[in-house]
Amino acid sequence: MPDFNPENSVGIVSPQTMHFEEPLALDCGRSLKDYHLTYESYGSLNKNRDNAILICHALSSDHHVAGYNSPDDKKPGWWETCIGPGKPIDSDRFFIVCSNNLGGCKGSTGPSSVDPETNKPYGPDFPIVTVKDWVRSQEVFRQKLGIKQWFAIVGGSLGGMQVIQWSIDYPDRLKHALVIAAAPKLSAQNIAFNEVARQAIMSDPDFHKGNYYAHNVSPKRGLMLARMLGHITYLSDDAMRQKFGRDMREGKINFGFDVNFEVESYLRYQGNAFVDRFDANTYLLMTKALDYFDPAADYNNSLAQAFKHVRARFLVISFTSDWRFSPARSKEIVKGLLDNYKPVTYVEIEANQGHDAFLMPIDDYIEIFSTYMNTIANEDGL
Amino acid sequence: MITDSHLRSDLQIISKWITTDSRVLDMGCGNGALLNYLQQQLGVFGYGLEIDQQHIVDCIAAKVNVIQSDLNAGLAEFDDSSFDFVIMTQTLQAISRPDLLIDEMLRVGREGIVTFPNFGHWKTRLNLTLGGRMPVTRSLPNRWYDTPNIHLCTIRDFEKFCQKRNIVILKRAVVDISHQPTLRTRLFPNLMGEIALYHFKREIH
């Protein structure tokens, strides 16, 4: 292998897969007879096994959080800005783990995996999984890893919601909860966007009611539309104006329906790139998991009651221009914690990048994130 | 660890008014020094409210729970009587409606503590009456056009305000700029005091 030493990176990493033979009961009433979770880890577990951090990924990302799977990779993992040597989540200090959620398409058991009972892909028969199910599966994963308690569980967007669920369902299993650009549940507007995305996929003639694998096709046009729509909600109006304005590819109006504006070109590019790396059935499942997420529902619709037995200390971060999960939504989370006198710090980062800001190297954000991690690690002598 | 000798002396006075194991809200908590001290010395549980990003970083490093918020927006995130003490040091005069915020303090807290620069100090009076200029002093270093202090008051103003609003003053301390009480500040507080500290609660009929 040629020398490959990207700066401040965990470098070359390989995913691993863990197999589970005990059935996993799911919220929908069904269960998965056996399943596997694909994950990556960086850094090393210390002697006391108390420096482990679990990262929860967002809707369309996966376990490949940091580093490169091969020297030929054009891009590192999705949270390279925050994870690695000397970064907010420092791989020289922590043992960092991220697993691909059940229902995913990057290695963990999901709709595109082969159902051992039929020897065919699950397709639309894969059960609808929830955030609670993911947490339940990760709890079994924790036991198998031999980690008594996560030092911290960290996630952005849907991943942040998973952190919340962890803190409620297994309060003794994490010391710190870092919830970034999340919400306590989806709004009608959030669900509406997800529904349009699902309709785009399901109305694609290549969808075949989810059995497209058998036809050797995939609903590419639908998935592309879903991704284009998603991208609009990840950016702010301001960020789009700055990035594209009304710039035109050929510098003039071409009186046609081909790509004319730069923003059209960007969305088509993002949509196209996505269909090659993502499974449509997984996209459907992930959006449903988002829609169904509502931890307060089990507690008389009171987030304060849901947080009553939480033991983790919280850091909640939002971004001013995020309209998908706005600062007001993060404040709802904070309010639920304040109502219980739980330790929480809340920071609203001034940023114009919209929801995507949580992935960006924004100075204020990195400083807050680093200071927090550094302080709690020092406290425990890690 | 912050010890007595490192804590600003006005904060030391305040810390003597706080009871052990109480719940404290510090509005405009700055670098979190007071809350950090109260947590360590008195075992209080508290939150700080702060708007400035750099102060928030300091609070995190000082292990203080800090909630980024704009005090001018009120305290809607807190229920009635959530805290034993609500503290606001050197911030009252920079608030758009101090009267409403003091109401909010006494809604979410049983008792309130505020500190502010006394506009009745002889130097401020001299600046205005003889100099004919807006006062610029040690405790009020800004000029009229760049000052964050938009609602300055005197010791007498504040006490009249409390009287009118059925607020009982439990304790008062008047100090000079180095936050030391002197004989002069004791004898002529509104003339000699540079900083006023008040501990108060709502009068219940």
Side-chain angles (χ1 to χ4, degrees):
Chain A
M1 194 183 285
D3 265 358
F4 183 74
N5 279 316
E7 234 178 290
N8 305 326
S9 176
V10 295
I12 298 288
V13 292
S14 307
Q16 291 168 270
T17 294
M18 198 181 271
H19 193 79
F20 301 84
E21 275 156 9
E22 285 284 297
L24 184 77
L26 303 171
D27 281 352
C28 64
R30 296 167 60 188
S31 66
L32 277 177
K33 228 170 125 188
D34 67 353
Y35 58 98
H36 43 263
L37 292 179
T38 295
Y39 67 100
E40 279 184 11
S41 70
Y42 325 111
S44 43
L45 191 59
N46 64 10
K47 221 176 94 203
N48 296 331
R49 307 176 84 81
D50 61 1
N51 68 333
I53 291 184
L54 179 68
I55 309 289
C56 298
H57 69 73
L59 177 71
S60 59
S61 49
D62 53 44
H63 53 275
H64 183 41
V65 193
Y68 300 79
N69 288 144
S70 122
D72 305 326
D73 285 0
K74 285 199 190 99
K75 281 199 266 176
W78 56 269
W79 219 5
E80 182 78 1
T81 47
C82 294
I83 293 169
K87 292 182 180 173
I89 299 186
D90 191 340
S91 52
D92 290 337
R93 211 168 188 181
F94 301 111
F95 176 61
I96 304 154
V97 186
C98 181
S99 66
N100 184 208
N101 285 329
L102 276 181
C105 54
K106 296 300 172 74
S108 293
T109 305
S112 51
S113 313
V114 172
D115 179 351
E117 295 202 340
T118 62
N119 271 324
K120 282 191 289 193
Y122 283 98
D125 298 328
F126 194 86
I128 299 262
V129 283
T130 63
V131 175
K132 264 181 95 120
D133 292 330
W134 289 339
V135 169
R136 206 176 291 128
S137 71
Q138 285 181 322
E139 168 59 11
V140 185
F141 178 54
R142 177 194 65 76
Q143 292 167 18
K144 275 190 97 168
L145 285 173
I147 289 161
K148 191 155 176 281
Q149 184 188 46
W150 298 104
F151 178 69
I153 305 185
V154 185
S157 194
L158 174 57
M161 298 176 187
Q162 202 165 328
V163 177
I164 294 173
Q165 194 73 56
W166 254 107
S167 73
I168 295 169
D169 291 354
Y170 301 100
D172 296 325
R173 298 302 179 192
L174 64 156
K175 279 190 100 160
H176 296 275
L178 281 76
V179 178
I180 304 170
K185 62 184 172 196
L186 262 61
S187 67
Q189 188 195 45
N190 294 144
I191 295 171
F193 276 115
N194 282 345
E195 174 58 7
V196 176
R198 285 190 292 265
Q199 286 301 325
I201 291 168
M202 294 190 293
S203 60
D204 186 318
D206 284 340
F207 183 61
H208 297 288
K209 293 182 175 156
N211 287 308
Y212 47 88
Y213 314 104
H215 296 79
N216 277 321
V217 290
S218 71
K220 286 190 173 176
R221 279 159 293 181
L223 185 57
M224 177 179 161
L225 284 176
R227 183 61 171 176
M228 287 167 78
L229 180 70
H231 260 280
I232 299 170
T233 70
Y234 303 152
L235 297 173
S236 68
D237 185 21
D238 198 28
M240 277 191 150
R241 189 176 303 129
Q242 279 192 16
K243 208 166 175 173
F244 314 110
R246 289 178 54 86
D247 293 353
M248 285 179 240
R249 295 211 72 189
E250 290 152 29
K252 61 177 174 49
I253 290 178
N254 60 19
F255 297 100
F257 295 108
D258 279 340
V259 166
N260 200 166
F261 291 96
E262 284 294 350
V263 65
E264 297 170 317
S265 158
Y266 169 82
L267 287 176
R268 288 191 195 190
Y269 172 81
Q270 291 293 343
N272 270 318
F274 190 62
V275 296
D276 295 330
R277 68 172 179 92
F278 215 82
D279 177 63
N281 280 322
T282 287
Y283 202 83
L284 295 177
L285 277 180
M286 298 286 164
T287 58
K288 269 291 171 195
L290 262 174
D291 291 359
Y292 288 154
F293 175 74
D294 183 9
D298 297 337
Y299 299 86
N300 298 318
N301 290 312
S302 156
L303 200 58
Q305 269 189 44
F307 280 140
K308 202 166 178 184
H309 300 292
V310 155
R311 298 190 60 188
R313 278 157 61 183
F314 277 73
L315 172 64
V316 179
I317 299 179
S318 70
F319 299 89
T320 50
S321 60
D322 183 352
W323 57 278
R324 185 183 171 91
F325 300 134
S326 69
R329 307 307 313 282
S330 281
K331 282 186 197 159
E332 292 173 32
I333 301 167
V334 173
K335 167 94 174 98
L337 293 162
L338 292 177
D339 286 345
N340 289 290
Y341 300 101
K342 299 291 182 188
V344 52
T345 283
Y346 169 66
V347 189
E348 205 171 297
I349 303 289
E350 188 85 38
N352 76 345
Q353 293 93 332
H355 185 58
D356 265 353
F358 86 92
L359 299 166
M360 309 274 179
I362 299 163
D363 290 347
D364 285 350
Y365 170 43
I366 300 297
E367 186 182 19
I368 292 281
F369 201 169
S370 298
T371 307
Y372 191 87
M373 292 310 299
N374 195 34
T375 305
I376 60 175
N378 286 343
E379 241 172 82
D380 279 29
L382 297 180
Chain B
M1 178 152 155
I2 294 171
T3 54
D4 254 36
S5 55
H6 292 109
L7 192 67
R8 233 171 57 199
S9 42
D10 58 334
L11 302 183
Q12 278 184 42
I13 297 171
I14 291 172
S15 68
K16 295 200 170 66
W17 295 346
I18 305 278
T19 47
T20 49
D21 299 326
S22 53
R23 285 175 173 155
V24 174
L25 180 67
D26 187 354
M27 298 165 50
C29 64
N31 63 9
L34 178 64
L35 268 179
N36 175 285
Y37 179 86
L38 296 175
Q39 283 168 193
Q40 287 178 17
Q41 302 297 319
L42 301 177
V44 309
F45 179 81
Y47 297 109
L49 305 182
E50 183 50 61
I51 196 163
D52 178 78
Q53 180 91 19
Q54 215 46 55
H55 280 327
I56 289 170
V57 171
D58 294 339
C59 286
I60 291 173
K63 299 172 201 170
V64 162
N65 298 314
V66 59
I67 310 293
Q68 185 160 21
S69 42
D70 179 3
L71 295 181
N72 285 319
L75 302 172
E77 63 266 52
F78 298 104
D79 292 339
D80 294 1
S81 306
S82 299
F83 297 94
D84 300 306
F85 299 94
V86 181
I87 306 172
M88 186 161 56
T89 59
Q90 299 291 336
T91 305
L92 185 69
Q93 73 283 354
I95 295 294
S96 67
R97 285 292 300 270
D99 53 339
L100 300 182
L101 196 58
I102 286 178
D103 282 346
E104 275 287 85
M105 286 177 82
L106 291 176
R107 177 183 69 78
V108 306
R110 286 193 301 108
E111 296 173 10
I113 293 171
V114 297
T115 79
F116 56 85
N118 173 31
F119 207 68
H121 186 253
W122 67 270
K123 275 191 189 160
T124 10
R125 297 191 197 195
L126 218 58
N127 259 280
L128 193 58
T129 48
L130 293 183
R133 305 278 310 266
M134 277 302 282
V136 175
T137 64
R138 288 186 300 179
S139 56
L140 293 165
N142 303 84
R143 286 154 302 187
W144 65 273
Y145 49 86
D146 63 4
T147 180
N149 303 326
I150 51 175
H151 284 116
L152 289 155
C153 70
T154 68
I155 284 176
R156 195 168 296 157
D157 285 329
F158 186 76
E159 293 185 4
K160 280 273 176 227
F161 168 86
C162 290
Q163 207 179 11
K164 253 186 134 168
R165 298 222 158 206
N166 293 325
I167 294 167
V168 199
I169 293 167
L170 301 169
K171 283 180 197 99
R172 181 184 82 179
V174 178
V175 296
D176 65 11
I177 189 73
S178 54
H179 303 111
Q180 302 297 335
T182 63
L183 181 64
R184 286 183 301 177
T185 61
R186 250 192 304 269
L187 290 176
F188 308 102
N190 200 26
L191 201 58
M192 306 309 291
E194 284 174 279
I195 292 168
L197 299 82
Y198 283 94
H199 177 194
F200 54 86
K201 67 173 191 182
R202 179 80 66 197
E203 190 168 19
I204 298 158
H205 294 289

